[in-house]
């Protein structure tokens, strides 16, 4: 089968073809972290914005974060790939033309820095995942003692996100290429503010370059954003189905749900795509939207991933089909989270929860519990711990939020399902947590493991928190996951 590329795209079924000719597009944006999420989200907004506004200048130079795999998938395809939008019954395909160049961040760093310094580029977007920011989980500041961060600052070819970004900004300043917006699209609370502060800390504390920090302060904005679309990892079976629909092989295809949302803080001093023409919301303050999404959607996602994983359930859709598990998610969202949220214009929280649970139930996505369960030490802070702290300060009992923490701990420490099958979870804190538990997996492991994760030192002083987590931790073992979830809801 021939491969999707500029040379073959003419043979794609008309319904899957873009209104734009990829050859007409020029690069106006750089994106760091060209994973599936970027290809199913920002790249699609870029295409739709260019189509709606009749523009061609917002093609993307997409940069891989850790290695050349995605570059090697997209390069032979001239950056083209298929997005399969799957509903319960229906699939729609489109070949997305926005990615006009793919660079491997580690081996083509110099070109990446040139792109950031290019006057034709005025927006840098990022989806690099929570851990790539290298923030201290307790203070949310850049870990200036991180060896990679320090080595970047000492002048080697940078490997960290902040190191690369600042090297690019420095080059941009030297080139006098004008203002820029750096738009974080990761699931962090106040992602723009966190990145701006990390960049400023890097410049002043490590580079000791106040002039660069001053230029960045004047010329670079860091709008916060809330991004939302469920994008499961693409499987071989997905690639085969897409290949037979296209009549072409596509190594870089992505799958997504129909739902998509992007709320962007309107803070730009430089030109940007007409994202609003593509359905994005530009608002003065993203925080209510971010909080609503992280504490509702992502928190319920993590809860279902951990409960589902312990119960031996492979996908989110299968987890949400279990009555006691969906009841726990609903109680988390409606009873524990809702009172902690500020009003977000245009969002009715009750409808929001219904929509989220319906989206989770989409059986065509095959979104695995293990994918959502990964990196818990970095995810559960904004998703669950903030809700727990707020609930406790109001005198409420965060039963389900602590149930989720206990289920996460069993993933990391016990690593067994209810049926004693092995459970593997990728978690950056896992090794430290298990070392702190010193081989114990009973309830005495809970506090040392939590302390070693370094994410909830304040909460560890609160016996209402530790008491609940320990209680559920034991109950999972004694009664099983589903029965424990049922008891937690009652
Ligand atoms: C998920 C998110 O993997 C995860 O942790 O909760 O990636 C989720 O699918 C997206 O945030 C949805 O917008």
């Amino acid at each position: 089968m021939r491969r999707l590329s500029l040379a073959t795209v003419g043979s794609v079924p008309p319904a899957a073809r873009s209104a734009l000719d990829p050859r007409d597009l020029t690069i106006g944006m750089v994106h760091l972290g060209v994973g599936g999420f970027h290809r199913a989200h920002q790249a699609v907004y870029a295409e739709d914005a260019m189509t709606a506004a009749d523009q061609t200048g917002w093609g993307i130079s997409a940069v891989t974060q850790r290695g050349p795999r995605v570059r090697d998938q997209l390069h032979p395809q001239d950056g083209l790939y298929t997005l399969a939008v799957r509903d319960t019954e229906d699939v729609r395909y489109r070949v997305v033309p926005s990615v006009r160049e793919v660079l491997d961040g580690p081996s083509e760093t110099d070109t990446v820095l040139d792109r950031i310094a290019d006057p034709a580029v005025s927006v840098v977007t990022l989806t690099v995942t929570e851990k790539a920011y290298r923030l201290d989980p307790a203070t949310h500041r850049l870990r200036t003692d991180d060896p990679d961060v320090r080595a970047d600052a000492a002048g080697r070819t940078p490997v960290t996100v902040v190191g690369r970004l600042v090297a690019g900004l420095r080059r941009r300043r030297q080139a006098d290429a004008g203002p820029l917006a750096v738009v974080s699209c990761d699931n962090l609370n106040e992602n723009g503010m966190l990145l701006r502060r990390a960049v400023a800390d890097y410049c002043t504390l490590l580079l000791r370059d106040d002039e660069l920090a001053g230029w960045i302060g004047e010329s670079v904005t860091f709008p916060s954003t809330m991004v939302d679309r469920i994008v499961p990892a693409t499987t071989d079976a997905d690639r085969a189905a897409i290949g037979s629909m296209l009549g072409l092989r596509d190594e870089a295809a992505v799958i997504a749900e129909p739902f998509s949302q992007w709320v962007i803080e309107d803070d730009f001093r430089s030109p940007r795509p007409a994202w609003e023409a593509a359905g994005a919301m530009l608002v003065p303050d993203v925080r209510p939207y971010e909080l609503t999404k992280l504490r509702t959607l992502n928190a319920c996602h993590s809860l279902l991933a951990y409960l589902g994983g312990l119960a031996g359930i492979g996908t989110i859709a299968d987890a949400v089909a279990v009555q006691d598990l969906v009841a726990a998610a609903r109680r988390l969202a409606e009873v524990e989270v809702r009172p902690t949220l500020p009003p977000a214009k245009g969002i009715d929280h009750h409808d929001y929860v219904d929509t989220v649970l319906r989206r989770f139930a989409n059986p065509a996505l095959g979104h695995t519990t293990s994918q959502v369960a990964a990196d818990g030490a970095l995810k559960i802070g904004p998703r669950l711990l903030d809700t727990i702290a707020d609930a406790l300060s109001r005198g409420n009992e965060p039963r389900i939020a602590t149930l989720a923490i206990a289920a996460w701990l069993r993933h990391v420490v016990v690593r067994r399902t209810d049926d004693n099958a092995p459970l593997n979870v990728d978690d950056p804190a896992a090794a430290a947590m298990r070392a702190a538990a010193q081989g114990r997996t009973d309830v005495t492991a809970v506090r040392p493991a939590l302390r070693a994760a370094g994410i909830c030192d304040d909460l560890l002083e609160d016996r209402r928190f530790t008491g609940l987590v320990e209680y559920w931790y034991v109950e999972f073992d004694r009664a099983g996951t589903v029965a424990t979830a049922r008891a937690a809801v009652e």
Side-chain angles (χ1 to χ4, degrees):
M1 205 185 268
R2 288 186 309 160
R3 188 98 178 246
L4 174 65
S5 71
L6 285 177
T8 59
V9 68
S11 73
V12 163
R17 267 186 238 158
S18 173
L20 301 170
D21 184 339
R23 292 178 191 82
D24 294 340
L25 307 185
T26 57
I27 289 171
M29 284 190 278
V30 171
H31 181 81
L32 305 183
V34 57
F37 188 76
H38 170 67
R39 282 174 276 158
H41 192 275
Q42 301 90 39
V44 174
Y45 281 89
E47 177 189 356
D48 290 349
M50 285 190 280
T51 307
D54 201 12
Q55 293 176 334
T56 52
W58 295 110
I60 298 167
S61 172
V63 182
T64 67
Q65 183 57 28
R66 283 182 306 255
R69 189 179 55 90
V70 179
R71 188 222 23 211
D72 295 344
Q73 289 167 343
L74 279 165
H75 221 260
Q77 303 186 180
D78 303 308
L80 301 176
Y81 61 89
T82 315
L83 168 66
V85 178
R86 285 195 189 151
D87 216 339
T88 307
E89 273 123 48
D90 196 33
V91 196
R92 279 177 296 117
Y93 300 93
R94 56 193 283 189
V95 172
V96 180
S98 324
V99 173
R100 288 295 85 239
E101 172 180 70
V102 194
L103 300 171
D104 174 40
S107 63
E108 297 174 286
T109 315
D110 201 51
T111 315
V112 175
L113 306 188
D114 278 346
R115 293 294 175 273
I116 297 176
D118 182 342
V121 165
S122 56
V123 176
V124 174
T125 50
L126 292 89
T127 51
V128 290
T129 78
E130 294 88 337
K131 61 174 171 264
Y133 289 80
R134 312 231 179 182
L135 304 179
D136 180 300
T139 63
H140 309 302
R141 310 290 293 225
L142 181 70
R143 291 202 316 256
T144 47
D145 59 350
D146 178 294
D148 280 329
V149 171
R150 294 190 80 86
D152 282 2
R156 67 163 178 194
T157 300
V159 305
T160 67
V161 170
V162 171
R164 272 188 204 145
L165 197 52
V166 171
L169 294 175
R170 178 188 259 165
R171 199 172 284 188
R172 188 172 183 91
R173 177 175 175 233
Q174 282 156 0
D176 201 14
L180 183 78
V182 177
V183 187
S184 165
C185 302
D186 284 296
N187 281 322
L188 293 159
N189 248 326
E190 302 194 66
N191 46 19
M193 183 279 287
L194 293 181
L195 183 56
R196 173 168 49 73
R197 216 166 55 179
V199 163
D201 284 351
Y202 184 88
C203 293
T204 52
L205 303 177
L206 295 175
L207 298 181
R208 304 201 179 277
D209 188 341
D210 292 340
E211 283 183 17
L212 179 61
W215 180 83
I216 292 172
E218 281 159 28
S219 310
V220 183
T221 60
F222 293 85
S224 283
T225 65
M226 180 270 255
V227 290
D228 192 4
R229 188 168 216 178
I230 295 174
V231 183
T234 313
T235 64
D236 289 341
D238 297 329
R239 275 184 282 270
I242 290 168
S244 59
M245 184 287 308
L246 279 186
L248 296 168
R249 191 154 67 86
D250 181 351
E251 293 293 327
V254 282
I255 310 293
E257 61 169 341
F259 183 96
S260 181
Q261 191 176 26
W262 198 4
V263 186
I264 307 169
E265 183 186 357
D266 196 358
D267 184 17
F268 292 83
R269 279 172 223 161
S270 49
R272 60 164 176 83
W275 287 310
E276 61 276 41
M281 279 168 75
L282 279 112
V283 300
D285 186 2
V286 175
R287 281 173 301 181
Y289 299 93
E290 280 182 325
L291 278 183
T292 301
K293 192 231 164 191
L294 281 162
R295 292 190 182 189
T296 310
L297 182 145
N298 293 112
C300 289
H301 229 179
S302 290
L303 171 77
L304 290 164
Y306 292 121
L307 295 178
L310 290 182
I313 299 172
T315 67
I316 296 291
D318 286 344
V320 89
V322 176
Q323 194 45 43
D324 291 315
L325 303 193
V326 76
R330 202 173 265 289
R331 186 189 147 105
L332 172 65
E334 297 194 332
V335 178
E336 297 178 16
V337 171
R338 185 180 301 159
T340 74
L341 296 176
K345 208 166 157 232
I347 294 189
D348 173 286
H349 193 257
H350 188 74
D351 294 348
Y352 187 84
V353 175
D354 281 348
T355 307
V356 162
L357 295 175
R358 213 173 23 249
R359 290 167 57 198
F360 287 175
N362 182 344
L365 292 177
H367 201 194
T368 60
T369 46
S370 64
Q371 186 182 348
V372 179
D375 290 348
L378 294 159
K379 289 177 176 171
I380 64 176
R383 295 179 183 206
L384 291 157
L385 295 170
D386 293 348
T387 296
I388 292 173
D390 276 7
L392 289 173
S393 71
R394 286 158 199 262
N396 296 337
E397 195 182 34
R399 292 169 68 84
I400 309 294
T402 50
L403 184 77
I405 304 295
W408 165 63
L409 282 170
R410 292 198 75 87
H411 266 69
V412 176
V413 176
V414 184
R415 293 189 281 170
R416 294 269 157 196
T417 66
D418 289 347
D419 289 338
N420 210 26
L423 199 52
N424 289 316
V425 66
D426 279 340
D427 201 305
M433 291 167 70
R434 289 199 284 267
Q438 294 178 326
R440 286 166 297 168
T441 56
D442 68 354
V443 68
T444 61
V446 166
R447 285 173 200 234
L450 278 174
R451 181 158 292 114
I455 51 180
C456 52
D457 292 350
D458 293 349
L459 282 172
L460 275 174
E461 305 302 315
D462 192 324
R463 295 186 61 115
R464 292 172 299 173
F465 169 70
T466 49
L468 278 166
V469 175
E470 287 172 342
Y471 179 76
W472 301 130
Y473 188 92
V474 172
E475 281 300 289
F476 282 133
D477 195 27
R478 192 190 64 79
T481 305
V482 173
T484 304
R486 187 182 317 130
V489 173
E490 275 161 6

